[in-house]
Amino acid sequence: MHVTANGIRIRCTAEGEGPWLVMSHSLACDGGMWDAQAAALRGRFRVLRFDTRGHGGSSAPAGEYSLRQLADDLEGLLDALAIERCTFVGLSMGGMIAMSHALLQPGRLERLILCNTTSRIPPEAQPVWQQRMDTVAAAGMEPMVQLTLERWLTAGFRARCPEVTAAVAGMIRATPPAGYLGCCAAIRGLDLTDRLGAIAVPTLVIAADQDVGTPVEAARAIQLAIPGAQLAVIPSAAHLSNLEQPALFVQLVERFVEGVPA
């Protein structure tokens, strides 16, 4: 289905029964990234997946986006669906949106699960983001496909699971260039670490031991900044830890909601 919120159309899928669990994907993916988790969790949650502005079936307006804008999209989506409180799972860009939203709307999120994400893009990383944007502006998404797969999935997983790898490649390839560029502009301006102490909801930070883009050190910085936050490190996985270790990922989500320490 589609919902109109914050001036755009947002594609979303809700399934299952129970308390709301909202899932937000990484850059250059869409809500299909969460298929395995939605199937596993919809027996005890009402799982909402949505395509971020510029991705999947959601609107992809031209121009630079901001994290405030993406957080406002989320707020509008929750309003449109009459979701008063939810547990929010965000991976990579989804985690950045979650932190931004938690700071803007502190009473809306019941729990936070921040996966394979960071709270700050350092100045030395700015040229990397600009290079990616220049590449996509000149040649579209195709040059990004293989380079992104190599960062996001371990070599062993890519060899063992070609179908999943192909599905991720398809999501990257299908991302509208305007949406990729707009979200890259939002991400490269990320600088939330010093503000995270204001987040007062129970928080689980999930990292992966082979994630070079958002390494364990970045996750630990978030954990230390958010009062009472927990940290779990998934072994044998890179950036898309939910795809490489789906059973363990779901277990961490379920146990955190149940109040079991990570």
Side-chain angles (χ1 to χ4, degrees), residues 128-199:
V128 175
W129 284 97
Q130 188 60 53
Q131 183 180 34
R132 292 171 185 168
M133 295 173 71
D134 290 345
T135 297
V136 170
M141 291 301 297
E142 189 60 37
M144 301 302 299
V145 175
Q146 189 59 37
L147 293 172
T148 305
L149 289 174
E150 291 171 2
R151 290 197 313 273
W152 281 4
L153 300 169
T154 62
F157 181 84
R158 297 197 307 270
R160 290 192 310 273
C161 301
E163 299 86 358
V164 178
T165 302
V168 175
M171 286 188 280
I172 299 167
R173 190 174 282 118
T175 301
Y180 183 88
L181 294 171
C183 284
C184 281
I187 291 169
R188 70 178 181 179
L190 177 70
D191 189 7
L192 295 177
T193 308
D194 292 342
R195 298 172 55 199
L196 296 182
I199 295 179

Short mmCIF file of all heavy atoms in Angstrom, two decimals, residues 128-199:
data_model
loop_
_atom_site.label_atom_id
_atom_site.label_comp_id
_atom_site.label_asym_id
_atom_site.label_seq_id
_atom_site.Cartn_x
_atom_site.Cartn_y
_atom_site.Cartn_z
N VAL A 128 34.88 10.31 0.08
CA VAL A 128 34.33 9.01 -0.34
C VAL A 128 32.87 9.18 -0.74
O VAL A 128 32.43 8.67 -1.79
CB VAL A 128 34.47 7.97 0.79
CG1 VAL A 128 33.78 6.67 0.41
CG2 VAL A 128 35.94 7.73 1.11
N TRP A 129 32.12 9.88 0.09
CA TRP A 129 30.70 10.09 -0.23
C TRP A 129 30.55 10.94 -1.49
O TRP A 129 29.68 10.67 -2.33
CB TRP A 129 29.99 10.73 0.95
CG TRP A 129 29.74 9.72 2.03
CD1 TRP A 129 30.48 9.50 3.14
CD2 TRP A 129 28.68 8.76 2.05
NE1 TRP A 129 29.96 8.45 3.86
CE2 TRP A 129 28.86 7.98 3.23
CE3 TRP A 129 27.61 8.48 1.21
CZ2 TRP A 129 27.99 6.93 3.56
CZ3 TRP A 129 26.74 7.43 1.54
CH2 TRP A 129 26.94 6.68 2.70
N GLN A 130 31.39 11.94 -1.65
CA GLN A 130 31.29 12.77 -2.84
C GLN A 130 31.63 11.96 -4.10
O GLN A 130 30.98 12.12 -5.14
CB GLN A 130 32.25 13.96 -2.74
CG GLN A 130 32.06 14.98 -3.85
CD GLN A 130 30.66 15.57 -3.86
OE1 GLN A 130 30.19 16.07 -2.85
NE2 GLN A 130 29.99 15.51 -5.01
N GLN A 131 32.60 11.06 -4.00
CA GLN A 131 32.94 10.22 -5.14
C GLN A 131 31.78 9.32 -5.53
O GLN A 131 31.48 9.14 -6.72
CB GLN A 131 34.18 9.38 -4.81
CG GLN A 131 34.65 8.51 -5.97
CD GLN A 131 35.87 7.69 -5.60
OE1 GLN A 131 36.02 7.25 -4.46
NE2 GLN A 131 36.76 7.49 -6.56
N ARG A 132 31.12 8.74 -4.54
CA ARG A 132 29.95 7.91 -4.84
C ARG A 132 28.87 8.73 -5.53
O ARG A 132 28.26 8.27 -6.52
CB ARG A 132 29.40 7.30 -3.55
CG ARG A 132 30.31 6.28 -2.90
CD ARG A 132 29.80 5.89 -1.53
NE ARG A 132 30.73 4.99 -0.85
CZ ARG A 132 30.67 4.68 0.43
NH1 ARG A 132 29.70 5.16 1.19
NH2 ARG A 132 31.56 3.85 0.96
N MET A 133 28.62 9.92 -5.03
CA MET A 133 27.59 10.76 -5.63
C MET A 133 27.97 11.17 -7.05
O MET A 133 27.12 11.16 -7.95
CB MET A 133 27.36 11.99 -4.74
CG MET A 133 26.79 11.65 -3.37
SD MET A 133 26.70 13.08 -2.25
CE MET A 133 25.37 14.02 -3.02
N ASP A 134 29.23 11.50 -7.26
CA ASP A 134 29.67 11.88 -8.60
C ASP A 134 29.52 10.71 -9.58
O ASP A 134 29.11 10.90 -10.73
CB ASP A 134 31.13 12.34 -8.57
CG ASP A 134 31.31 13.66 -7.85
OD1 ASP A 134 30.31 14.38 -7.63
OD2 ASP A 134 32.46 13.99 -7.50
N THR A 135 29.85 9.51 -9.10
CA THR A 135 29.73 8.33 -9.96
C THR A 135 28.29 8.10 -10.39
O THR A 135 27.99 7.87 -11.57
CB THR A 135 30.27 7.09 -9.23
OG1 THR A 135 31.67 7.26 -8.95
CG2 THR A 135 30.08 5.82 -10.07
N VAL A 136 27.37 8.14 -9.43
CA VAL A 136 25.96 7.89 -9.74
C VAL A 136 25.38 9.01 -10.59
O VAL A 136 24.60 8.77 -11.52
CB VAL A 136 25.16 7.70 -8.44
CG1 VAL A 136 23.66 7.67 -8.71
CG2 VAL A 136 25.60 6.40 -7.75
N ALA A 137 25.77 10.24 -10.31
CA ALA A 137 25.28 11.35 -11.13
C ALA A 137 25.71 11.22 -12.59
O ALA A 137 24.96 11.59 -13.51
CB ALA A 137 25.78 12.68 -10.56
N ALA A 138 26.89 10.65 -12.81
CA ALA A 138 27.41 10.53 -14.17
C ALA A 138 26.95 9.28 -14.88
O ALA A 138 26.72 9.29 -16.10
CB ALA A 138 28.94 10.56 -14.13
N ALA A 139 26.81 8.16 -14.14
CA ALA A 139 26.61 6.87 -14.80
C ALA A 139 25.48 6.03 -14.23
O ALA A 139 25.31 4.88 -14.64
CB ALA A 139 27.92 6.06 -14.73
N GLY A 140 24.72 6.57 -13.30
CA GLY A 140 23.62 5.79 -12.73
C GLY A 140 24.12 4.80 -11.69
O GLY A 140 25.26 4.85 -11.24
N MET A 141 23.26 3.87 -11.32
CA MET A 141 23.54 2.97 -10.20
C MET A 141 24.41 1.77 -10.57
O MET A 141 25.03 1.15 -9.69
CB MET A 141 22.24 2.45 -9.60
CG MET A 141 21.43 3.52 -8.87
SD MET A 141 22.32 4.30 -7.49
CE MET A 141 22.55 2.89 -6.40
N GLU A 142 24.50 1.42 -11.83
CA GLU A 142 25.20 0.18 -12.20
C GLU A 142 26.64 0.13 -11.69
O GLU A 142 27.07 -0.93 -11.18
CB GLU A 142 25.17 -0.02 -13.72
CG GLU A 142 25.69 -1.38 -14.17
CD GLU A 142 24.89 -2.55 -13.59
OE1 GLU A 142 23.66 -2.42 -13.46
OE2 GLU A 142 25.51 -3.58 -13.25
N PRO A 143 27.44 1.19 -11.77
CA PRO A 143 28.81 1.09 -11.27
C PRO A 143 28.90 0.82 -9.76
O PRO A 143 29.95 0.40 -9.28
CB PRO A 143 29.41 2.47 -11.60
CG PRO A 143 28.56 3.01 -12.68
CD PRO A 143 27.19 2.49 -12.42
N MET A 144 27.81 1.08 -9.03
CA MET A 144 27.83 0.90 -7.59
C MET A 144 27.52 -0.53 -7.15
O MET A 144 27.77 -0.90 -6.00
CB MET A 144 26.82 1.84 -6.92
CG MET A 144 27.05 3.31 -7.20
SD MET A 144 28.71 3.86 -6.67
CE MET A 144 28.63 3.51 -4.92
N VAL A 145 26.97 -1.35 -8.08
CA VAL A 145 26.42 -2.64 -7.66
C VAL A 145 27.50 -3.54 -7.08
O VAL A 145 27.43 -3.97 -5.91
CB VAL A 145 25.69 -3.32 -8.83
CG1 VAL A 145 25.24 -4.73 -8.41
CG2 VAL A 145 24.48 -2.49 -9.26
N GLN A 146 28.52 -3.87 -7.85
CA GLN A 146 29.54 -4.81 -7.37
C GLN A 146 30.33 -4.25 -6.20
O GLN A 146 30.63 -4.96 -5.22
CB GLN A 146 30.47 -5.21 -8.51
CG GLN A 146 31.42 -6.35 -8.17
CD GLN A 146 30.69 -7.63 -7.76
OE1 GLN A 146 29.62 -7.96 -8.31
NE2 GLN A 146 31.24 -8.35 -6.80
N LEU A 147 30.68 -2.97 -6.28
CA LEU A 147 31.44 -2.35 -5.19
C LEU A 147 30.66 -2.40 -3.87
O LEU A 147 31.23 -2.65 -2.80
CB LEU A 147 31.75 -0.89 -5.54
CG LEU A 147 32.73 -0.67 -6.70
CD1 LEU A 147 32.79 0.82 -7.05
CD2 LEU A 147 34.11 -1.18 -6.34
N THR A 148 29.35 -2.18 -3.96
CA THR A 148 28.52 -2.20 -2.75
C THR A 148 28.36 -3.61 -2.21
O THR A 148 28.45 -3.83 -0.99
CB THR A 148 27.15 -1.57 -3.05
OG1 THR A 148 27.35 -0.25 -3.59
CG2 THR A 148 26.31 -1.48 -1.80
N LEU A 149 28.15 -4.58 -3.08
CA LEU A 149 28.04 -5.97 -2.63
C LEU A 149 29.29 -6.41 -1.88
O LEU A 149 29.20 -7.12 -0.86
CB LEU A 149 27.81 -6.90 -3.82
CG LEU A 149 26.45 -6.82 -4.51
CD1 LEU A 149 26.44 -7.70 -5.75
CD2 LEU A 149 25.32 -7.22 -3.57
N GLU A 150 30.44 -6.00 -2.35
CA GLU A 150 31.70 -6.39 -1.70
C GLU A 150 31.85 -5.78 -0.31
O GLU A 150 32.51 -6.37 0.55
CB GLU A 150 32.88 -6.02 -2.60
CG GLU A 150 32.93 -6.86 -3.87
CD GLU A 150 33.97 -6.36 -4.87
OE1 GLU A 150 34.67 -5.36 -4.55
OE2 GLU A 150 34.07 -6.94 -5.96
N ARG A 151 31.26 -4.62 -0.10
CA ARG A 151 31.31 -4.01 1.24
C ARG A 151 30.23 -4.57 2.16
O ARG A 151 30.44 -4.68 3.36
CB ARG A 151 31.11 -2.48 1.15
CG ARG A 151 32.25 -1.72 0.53
CD ARG A 151 32.16 -0.23 0.86
NE ARG A 151 30.82 0.31 0.67
CZ ARG A 151 30.36 0.79 -0.47
NH1 ARG A 151 31.13 0.76 -1.56
NH2 ARG A 151 29.13 1.29 -0.56
N TRP A 152 29.09 -4.91 1.59
CA TRP A 152 27.93 -5.24 2.40
C TRP A 152 27.83 -6.71 2.80
O TRP A 152 27.21 -7.03 3.82
CB TRP A 152 26.66 -4.87 1.64
CG TRP A 152 26.35 -3.41 1.67
CD1 TRP A 152 27.08 -2.40 2.22
CD2 TRP A 152 25.19 -2.80 1.10
NE1 TRP A 152 26.45 -1.20 2.03
CE2 TRP A 152 25.29 -1.41 1.36
CE3 TRP A 152 24.09 -3.28 0.41
CZ2 TRP A 152 24.31 -0.50 0.94
CZ3 TRP A 152 23.12 -2.39 -0.01
CH2 TRP A 152 23.23 -1.01 0.25
N LEU A 153 28.40 -7.62 1.99
CA LEU A 153 28.27 -9.05 2.24
C LEU A 153 29.66 -9.68 2.19
O LEU A 153 30.47 -9.35 1.33
CB LEU A 153 27.37 -9.71 1.18
CG LEU A 153 25.93 -9.18 1.10
CD1 LEU A 153 25.25 -9.72 -0.16
CD2 LEU A 153 25.13 -9.55 2.34
N THR A 154 29.93 -10.60 3.10
CA THR A 154 31.24 -11.25 3.09
C THR A 154 31.39 -12.11 1.84
O THR A 154 30.40 -12.55 1.23
CB THR A 154 31.41 -12.13 4.33
OG1 THR A 154 30.42 -13.16 4.33
CG2 THR A 154 31.31 -11.32 5.61
N ALA A 155 32.63 -12.35 1.45
CA ALA A 155 32.89 -13.15 0.25
C ALA A 155 32.31 -14.56 0.39
O ALA A 155 31.76 -15.11 -0.57
CB ALA A 155 34.40 -13.22 -0.02
N GLY A 156 32.43 -15.14 1.58
CA GLY A 156 31.89 -16.47 1.79
C GLY A 156 30.40 -16.52 1.61
O GLY A 156 29.86 -17.45 1.00
N PHE A 157 29.70 -15.52 2.12
CA PHE A 157 28.25 -15.50 1.97
C PHE A 157 27.85 -15.32 0.52
O PHE A 157 26.93 -15.98 0.03
CB PHE A 157 27.65 -14.37 2.82
CG PHE A 157 26.15 -14.29 2.74
CD1 PHE A 157 25.36 -15.10 3.54
CD2 PHE A 157 25.53 -13.42 1.85
CE1 PHE A 157 23.97 -15.04 3.46
CE2 PHE A 157 24.15 -13.36 1.77
CZ PHE A 157 23.37 -14.16 2.57
N ARG A 158 28.55 -14.44 -0.19
CA ARG A 158 28.22 -14.23 -1.61
C ARG A 158 28.38 -15.51 -2.40
O ARG A 158 27.59 -15.79 -3.32
CB ARG A 158 29.11 -13.12 -2.20
CG ARG A 158 28.90 -11.76 -1.56
CD ARG A 158 29.46 -10.63 -2.41
NE ARG A 158 30.85 -10.81 -2.79
CZ ARG A 158 31.89 -10.38 -2.08
NH1 ARG A 158 31.70 -9.78 -0.90
NH2 ARG A 158 33.13 -10.55 -2.51
N ALA A 159 29.36 -16.33 -2.04
CA ALA A 159 29.57 -17.60 -2.74
C ALA A 159 28.51 -18.63 -2.35
O ALA A 159 28.03 -19.38 -3.20
CB ALA A 159 30.96 -18.14 -2.42
N ARG A 160 28.13 -18.67 -1.08
CA ARG A 160 27.17 -19.66 -0.59
C ARG A 160 25.74 -19.34 -0.95
O ARG A 160 24.92 -20.25 -1.11
CB ARG A 160 27.25 -19.78 0.94
CG ARG A 160 28.50 -20.41 1.50
CD ARG A 160 28.31 -20.73 2.98
NE ARG A 160 27.80 -19.60 3.74
CZ ARG A 160 28.55 -18.66 4.28
NH1 ARG A 160 29.87 -18.70 4.12
NH2 ARG A 160 28.01 -17.67 4.98
N CYS A 161 25.42 -18.06 -1.05
CA CYS A 161 24.02 -17.63 -1.19
C CYS A 161 23.86 -16.70 -2.39
O CYS A 161 23.59 -15.50 -2.24
CB CYS A 161 23.57 -16.93 0.09
SG CYS A 161 23.67 -17.97 1.56
N PRO A 162 24.04 -17.25 -3.60
CA PRO A 162 23.96 -16.37 -4.78
C PRO A 162 22.57 -15.77 -4.99
O PRO A 162 22.46 -14.67 -5.53
CB PRO A 162 24.34 -17.31 -5.93
CG PRO A 162 24.07 -18.70 -5.41
CD PRO A 162 24.36 -18.65 -3.96
N GLU A 163 21.51 -16.46 -4.54
CA GLU A 163 20.16 -15.92 -4.73
C GLU A 163 19.95 -14.66 -3.90
O GLU A 163 19.40 -13.66 -4.39
CB GLU A 163 19.11 -16.97 -4.37
CG GLU A 163 19.16 -18.23 -5.22
CD GLU A 163 20.14 -19.26 -4.67
OE1 GLU A 163 20.80 -18.97 -3.64
OE2 GLU A 163 20.23 -20.36 -5.27
N VAL A 164 20.38 -14.72 -2.64
CA VAL A 164 20.25 -13.53 -1.79
C VAL A 164 21.13 -12.41 -2.31
O VAL A 164 20.72 -11.24 -2.37
CB VAL A 164 20.60 -13.86 -0.33
CG1 VAL A 164 20.51 -12.61 0.55
CG2 VAL A 164 19.69 -14.95 0.22
N THR A 165 22.34 -12.75 -2.72
CA THR A 165 23.24 -11.74 -3.28
C THR A 165 22.63 -11.08 -4.50
O THR A 165 22.70 -9.85 -4.67
CB THR A 165 24.59 -12.39 -3.63
OG1 THR A 165 25.14 -12.99 -2.45
CG2 THR A 165 25.56 -11.37 -4.19
N ALA A 166 22.01 -11.88 -5.36
CA ALA A 166 21.37 -11.33 -6.56
C ALA A 166 20.20 -10.42 -6.19
O ALA A 166 19.96 -9.40 -6.86
CB ALA A 166 20.91 -12.46 -7.47
N ALA A 167 19.47 -10.78 -5.14
CA ALA A 167 18.35 -9.94 -4.71
C ALA A 167 18.84 -8.58 -4.22
O ALA A 167 18.25 -7.54 -4.52
CB ALA A 167 17.54 -10.65 -3.63
N VAL A 168 19.94 -8.58 -3.46
CA VAL A 168 20.51 -7.32 -3.00
C VAL A 168 21.00 -6.50 -4.19
O VAL A 168 20.78 -5.29 -4.28
CB VAL A 168 21.65 -7.56 -2.00
CG1 VAL A 168 22.33 -6.25 -1.61
CG2 VAL A 168 21.13 -8.28 -0.76
N ALA A 169 21.67 -7.16 -5.14
CA ALA A 169 22.12 -6.46 -6.34
C ALA A 169 20.95 -5.82 -7.07
O ALA A 169 21.05 -4.70 -7.57
CB ALA A 169 22.86 -7.43 -7.26
N GLY A 170 19.82 -6.53 -7.12
CA GLY A 170 18.64 -5.99 -7.77
C GLY A 170 18.11 -4.75 -7.09
O GLY A 170 17.68 -3.79 -7.75
N MET A 171 18.14 -4.74 -5.75
CA MET A 171 17.68 -3.56 -5.02
C MET A 171 18.59 -2.37 -5.26
O MET A 171 18.12 -1.24 -5.45
CB MET A 171 17.57 -3.87 -3.52
CG MET A 171 16.39 -4.74 -3.14
SD MET A 171 16.15 -4.92 -1.35
CE MET A 171 17.38 -6.18 -0.99
N ILE A 172 19.90 -2.63 -5.26
CA ILE A 172 20.84 -1.53 -5.52
C ILE A 172 20.61 -0.97 -6.92
O ILE A 172 20.51 0.25 -7.11
CB ILE A 172 22.29 -2.03 -5.37
CG1 ILE A 172 22.56 -2.53 -3.96
CG2 ILE A 172 23.29 -0.92 -5.75
CD1 ILE A 172 23.86 -3.33 -3.82
N ARG A 173 20.53 -1.86 -7.88
CA ARG A 173 20.38 -1.45 -9.29
C ARG A 173 19.09 -0.68 -9.52
O ARG A 173 19.03 0.24 -10.35
CB ARG A 173 20.42 -2.71 -10.16
CG ARG A 173 20.53 -2.47 -11.64
CD ARG A 173 20.71 -3.79 -12.37
NE ARG A 173 22.09 -4.28 -12.25
CZ ARG A 173 22.44 -5.43 -11.66
NH1 ARG A 173 21.51 -6.20 -11.08
NH2 ARG A 173 23.70 -5.79 -11.62
N ALA A 174 18.03 -1.04 -8.77
CA ALA A 174 16.72 -0.42 -8.98
C ALA A 174 16.53 0.89 -8.23
O ALA A 174 15.53 1.58 -8.42
CB ALA A 174 15.63 -1.41 -8.55
N THR A 175 17.48 1.25 -7.38
CA THR A 175 17.36 2.50 -6.62
C THR A 175 17.40 3.70 -7.57
O THR A 175 18.33 3.82 -8.36
CB THR A 175 18.49 2.62 -5.59
OG1 THR A 175 18.44 1.49 -4.70
CG2 THR A 175 18.37 3.90 -4.79
N PRO A 176 16.41 4.58 -7.52
CA PRO A 176 16.45 5.76 -8.38
C PRO A 176 17.69 6.60 -8.09
O PRO A 176 17.98 6.90 -6.93
CB PRO A 176 15.17 6.52 -8.00
CG PRO A 176 14.27 5.48 -7.41
CD PRO A 176 15.17 4.53 -6.71
N PRO A 177 18.44 6.97 -9.10
CA PRO A 177 19.63 7.80 -8.84
C PRO A 177 19.33 9.06 -8.04
O PRO A 177 20.11 9.44 -7.15
CB PRO A 177 20.14 8.13 -10.25
CG PRO A 177 19.73 6.94 -11.07
CD PRO A 177 18.38 6.56 -10.53
N ALA A 178 18.19 9.70 -8.30
CA ALA A 178 17.84 10.90 -7.54
C ALA A 178 17.68 10.58 -6.07
O ALA A 178 18.08 11.38 -5.19
CB ALA A 178 16.56 11.53 -8.10
N GLY A 179 17.11 9.43 -5.76
CA GLY A 179 16.92 9.03 -4.37
C GLY A 179 18.24 8.70 -3.70
O GLY A 179 18.47 9.07 -2.53
N TYR A 180 19.12 8.03 -4.42
CA TYR A 180 20.44 7.71 -3.88
C TYR A 180 21.21 9.00 -3.58
O TYR A 180 21.77 9.16 -2.50
CB TYR A 180 21.20 6.85 -4.88
CG TYR A 180 22.57 6.39 -4.39
CD1 TYR A 180 22.71 5.22 -3.66
CD2 TYR A 180 23.72 7.13 -4.67
CE1 TYR A 180 23.96 4.80 -3.21
CE2 TYR A 180 24.96 6.72 -4.23
CZ TYR A 180 25.08 5.55 -3.51
OH TYR A 180 26.31 5.14 -3.06
N LEU A 181 21.20 9.92 -4.53
CA LEU A 181 21.94 11.17 -4.34
C LEU A 181 21.35 11.98 -3.19
O LEU A 181 22.09 12.54 -2.36
CB LEU A 181 21.91 11.98 -5.63
CG LEU A 181 22.66 11.38 -6.82
CD1 LEU A 181 22.38 12.17 -8.09
CD2 LEU A 181 24.15 11.32 -6.55
N GLY A 182 20.03 12.03 -3.12
CA GLY A 182 19.39 12.78 -2.05
C GLY A 182 19.72 12.23 -0.68
O GLY A 182 20.03 12.99 0.26
N CYS A 183 19.70 10.90 -0.55
CA CYS A 183 19.99 10.28 0.74
C CYS A 183 21.48 10.34 1.08
O CYS A 183 21.85 10.47 2.25
CB CYS A 183 19.49 8.84 0.77
SG CYS A 183 17.69 8.70 0.96
N CYS A 184 22.34 10.23 0.08
CA CYS A 184 23.78 10.42 0.35
C CYS A 184 24.05 11.80 0.93
O CYS A 184 24.87 11.95 1.85
CB CYS A 184 24.58 10.24 -0.94
SG CYS A 184 24.86 8.53 -1.44
N ALA A 185 23.36 12.81 0.42
CA ALA A 185 23.54 14.16 0.95
C ALA A 185 23.12 14.22 2.41
O ALA A 185 23.76 14.90 3.22
CB ALA A 185 22.72 15.16 0.13
N ALA A 186 22.06 13.51 2.78
CA ALA A 186 21.62 13.47 4.18
C ALA A 186 22.64 12.75 5.05
O ALA A 186 23.00 13.21 6.13
CB ALA A 186 20.26 12.80 4.27
N ILE A 187 23.13 11.61 4.57
CA ILE A 187 24.03 10.78 5.38
C ILE A 187 25.36 11.48 5.62
O ILE A 187 25.89 11.46 6.74
CB ILE A 187 24.25 9.43 4.68
CG1 ILE A 187 22.97 8.59 4.72
CG2 ILE A 187 25.41 8.66 5.32
CD1 ILE A 187 23.01 7.35 3.85
N ARG A 188 25.91 12.11 4.60
CA ARG A 188 27.25 12.69 4.77
C ARG A 188 27.26 13.85 5.75
O ARG A 188 28.31 14.25 6.24
CB ARG A 188 27.82 13.10 3.42
CG ARG A 188 27.17 14.29 2.78
CD ARG A 188 27.84 14.64 1.47
NE ARG A 188 27.24 15.81 0.85
CZ ARG A 188 27.64 16.34 -0.29
NH1 ARG A 188 28.66 15.79 -0.94
NH2 ARG A 188 27.05 17.40 -0.81
N GLY A 189 26.08 14.38 6.09
CA GLY A 189 25.99 15.44 7.09
C GLY A 189 25.73 14.93 8.50
O GLY A 189 25.55 15.73 9.43
N LEU A 190 25.76 13.61 8.68
CA LEU A 190 25.42 13.01 9.98
C LEU A 190 26.44 13.40 11.06
O LEU A 190 27.64 13.20 10.90
CB LEU A 190 25.40 11.49 9.83
CG LEU A 190 25.15 10.66 11.09
CD1 LEU A 190 23.71 10.82 11.56
CD2 LEU A 190 25.47 9.18 10.83
N ASP A 191 25.93 13.91 12.18
CA ASP A 191 26.79 14.26 13.31
C ASP A 191 25.91 14.32 14.57
O ASP A 191 25.56 15.40 15.04
CB ASP A 191 27.49 15.59 13.06
CG ASP A 191 28.56 15.89 14.11
OD1 ASP A 191 28.84 15.00 14.94
OD2 ASP A 191 29.10 17.01 14.09
N LEU A 192 25.58 13.15 15.11
CA LEU A 192 24.63 13.07 16.23
C LEU A 192 25.26 12.61 17.54
O LEU A 192 24.59 12.66 18.57
CB LEU A 192 23.49 12.10 15.87
CG LEU A 192 22.57 12.49 14.72
CD1 LEU A 192 21.56 11.37 14.49
CD2 LEU A 192 21.86 13.80 14.99
N THR A 193 26.50 12.17 17.53
CA THR A 193 27.06 11.50 18.70
C THR A 193 26.91 12.32 19.97
O THR A 193 26.50 11.79 21.02
CB THR A 193 28.55 11.17 18.47
OG1 THR A 193 28.69 10.47 17.23
CG2 THR A 193 29.08 10.30 19.60
N ASP A 194 27.21 13.60 19.91
CA ASP A 194 27.19 14.43 21.12
C ASP A 194 25.77 14.68 21.63
O ASP A 194 25.62 15.18 22.76
CB ASP A 194 27.89 15.76 20.85
CG ASP A 194 29.38 15.60 20.63
OD1 ASP A 194 29.93 14.55 21.01
OD2 ASP A 194 30.00 16.52 20.06
N ARG A 195 24.76 14.34 20.84
CA ARG A 195 23.37 14.57 21.26
C ARG A 195 22.68 13.30 21.74
O ARG A 195 21.56 13.36 22.26
CB ARG A 195 22.58 15.17 20.08
CG ARG A 195 23.10 16.51 19.59
CD ARG A 195 22.39 16.93 18.32
NE ARG A 195 20.95 16.96 18.49
CZ ARG A 195 20.08 16.92 17.48
NH1 ARG A 195 20.50 16.84 16.23
NH2 ARG A 195 18.78 16.96 17.72
N LEU A 196 23.32 12.16 21.59
CA LEU A 196 22.64 10.89 21.86
C LEU A 196 22.31 10.68 23.33
O LEU A 196 21.45 9.85 23.66
CB LEU A 196 23.49 9.72 21.35
CG LEU A 196 23.70 9.65 19.83
CD1 LEU A 196 24.51 8.42 19.47
CD2 LEU A 196 22.37 9.66 19.09
N GLY A 197 22.95 11.40 24.23
CA GLY A 197 22.64 11.29 25.64
C GLY A 197 21.21 11.66 25.97
O GLY A 197 20.70 11.30 27.05
N ALA A 198 20.54 12.36 25.06
CA ALA A 198 19.14 12.75 25.28
C ALA A 198 18.16 11.63 24.97
O ALA A 198 16.97 11.75 25.28
CB ALA A 198 18.81 13.98 24.44
N ILE A 199 18.62 10.56 24.36
CA ILE A 199 17.73 9.43 24.04
C ILE A 199 17.50 8.62 25.31
O ILE A 199 18.45 8.11 25.90
CB ILE A 199 18.31 8.56 22.92
CG1 ILE A 199 18.37 9.37 21.62
CG2 ILE A 199 17.48 7.30 22.73
CD1 ILE A 199 18.96 8.62 20.44
#
